Amino acid sequence: MRTNFILGSALLMAGMVAGCSDDPAPVTDAGTDAGTLVDTGSATDTGTTTDTGTTTDTGTATDTGTTTDTGTTTDTGTATDAGSATDTGTATDAGSATDAGTTTDAGSAADAGAALTVIHGCTEAMYVDRRTTGERSVTFGGVVGSAYSPKCLIISAGQMVSFSGPFSSHPLRTGVAPGQSGTGSTPNPIANTDSGSSVSFTFAAPGIYPYHCMFHQPSMAGVILVR
C-alpha cells in the first residue's frame, strides 16, 4: 500500500515535469522581454534633428559681392559729360545770324544792274543822289525850258519828290516814253498831270520809275531811281 502511494506520487511529479518542458512559451516570458520596450534607437536618433548644415549656412546671407558693387552707382561718365552741355557750335553760329549776304542784298532792294539799264538816256554818271542831302524836286519849263532838272534822280524808299512847272505846257505822263527802250517798275506812283504848277509823289518801294512830257518826248523824259 505504501509502495503504491510512493509510486503514484512519482508518476504524478514526472507528468507535471514533462508537461512543463512541453510548453515553450510561459505567460511570464512577454512581460519580462525588455528588448522591444526599451529600444530607443528611433526615439533618440538626433541625426536629422540636430543637422545644422543647412540652418547655419550663411554663404548666401552674407554674400556682399552684389550689394557693395559700386561700379554702376558711381559711374559719372554720363553725368559729367560736358561735351553736349557746353557745345556752343550751334549757339554761337554767326554764319546764319549775321549773314549779311541776305540781309544787305542790294540786288533785290535796289538792283543797280536793272536800275541802270539805260532808260531815257539816264546812265550811271547822270544820276543825282538826293537820298541824304539836297532838295528832292524836279523842275521844268521857264528858264529850264523843255527839260527836266535833274532828269535822273536817286532817292530812298519812302521819300517824296516834287515836280514843279507849268503842266499845261508840259503835261506829265507816267512810264517810258513811246518809242523808247526799257521798262520801269510797277506800280509807278507818278500820276498823269495836265494842270497846275506843283505836284508831289511818294515812292514807297525800291525800283526805277520813268516819266516824260506828253508834248516834248523823247527829249523831255527822266527817271526816278529809288533805293
Side-chain angles (χ1 to χ4, degrees), residues 166-206:
F167 290 107
S168 57
S169 301
H170 303 281
L172 180 63
R173 292 292 180 268
T174 184
V176 178
Q180 299 298 301
S181 61
T183 57
S185 302
T186 56
N188 192 330
I190 300 173
N192 296 338
T193 305
D194 297 324
S195 62
S197 59
S198 181
V199 66
S200 298
F201 306 104
T202 299
F203 297 81

Side-chain angles (χ1 to χ4, degrees), residues 58-158:
T58 60
T60 303
T62 61
D63 180 5
T64 60
T66 303
T67 305
T68 60
D69 180 7
T70 59
T72 303
T73 304
T74 61
D75 181 6
T76 59
T78 303
T80 61
D81 181 6
S84 301
T86 60
D87 182 4
T88 58
T90 303
T92 60
D93 182 3
S96 301
T98 61
D99 183 1
T102 303
T103 304
T104 60
D105 183 3
S108 300
D111 188 346
L116 295 180
T117 297
V118 178
I119 298 177
H120 293 165
C122 291
T123 63
E124 176 72 30
M126 295 176 64
Y127 278 97
V128 176
D129 193 344
R130 296 287 173 80
R131 287 176 291 183
T132 58
T133 60
E135 184 180 358
R136 299 181 189 92
S137 178
V138 176
T139 60
F140 56 94
V143 296
V144 178
S146 297
Y148 291 112
S149 179
K151 66 175 293 183
C152 308
L153 179 64
I154 298 177
I155 65 169
S156 295

